[in-house]
Amino acid sequence: MLRTTIALVVIATIPAGTSSAQQRPLTDAEKKIITSTYGSRLRDPQSAQYRWPNLIKAQADAPDYCFQVNAKNSYGGYVGFQTVLGSVTQQNGTIVGYRYKMGAESSSMMIDTASEFCAIGGYKFQ
């Protein structure tokens, strides 16, 4: 039930027709904004590895953005790349803020849900 409710809320925030939407790579400055905000959630933010798909340009004021992170656990080992779903704030088409929604350090159900939402939103990882 919780997963269905979350699915409906997140799907409502994903813009329709993202598969044909314009895409662009993130700038280094935009990546830094996301890593500094998201990195505060990690034990060792300096060692985190990221996968950055193109930003899908959406009409929303704070569109969703998905990326993947491979971070260290409490034992110092990498856990493998996991999907993170968040929203970005933009000014004149440039990312100026980031807000985490779900994924990575969440429960396994939420990690799977984040991956599903990102796929629905058009984000692909290699």
Side-chain angles (χ1 to χ4, degrees):
M1 181 66 184
L2 174 64
R3 187 174 183 169
T4 303
T5 303
I6 292 170
L8 293 174
V9 169
V10 175
I11 287 173
T13 66
I14 295 175
T18 55
S19 61
S20 62
Q22 290 182 315
Q23 299 182 29
R24 69 164 179 84
L26 269 62
T27 65
D28 289 341
E30 291 172 325
K31 291 175 186 177
K32 186 174 181 176
I33 289 168
I34 293 171
T35 58
S36 65
T37 304
Y38 180 76
S40 65
R41 305 177 69 85
L42 303 175
R43 292 187 187 276
D44 184 2
Q46 300 301 324
S47 67
Q49 303 166 346
Y50 294 89
R51 289 183 181 157
W52 303 104
N54 288 338
L55 173 67
I56 297 173
K57 294 182 182 180
Q59 301 301 320
D61 291 334
D64 287 335
Y65 178 69
C66 298
F67 62 92
Q68 288 186 327
V69 63
N70 185 11
K72 291 183 177 180
N73 61 18
S74 59
Y75 299 106
Y78 283 99
V79 297
F81 280 96
Q82 297 178 336
T83 302
V84 177
L85 169 66
S87 62
V88 293
T89 306
Q90 299 180 351
Q91 283 183 344
N92 300 321
T94 301
I95 294 172
V96 295
Y98 173 78
R99 187 174 66 87
Y100 170 82
K101 288 186 177 180
M102 72 173 84
E105 75 275 355
S106 301
S107 68
S108 60
M109 180 180 79
M110 296 305 285
I111 292 169
D112 292 343
T113 304
S115 295
E116 290 173 21
F117 292 143
C118 291
I120 291 168
Y123 287 98
K124 297 176 182 19
F125 301 100
Q126 303 172 18

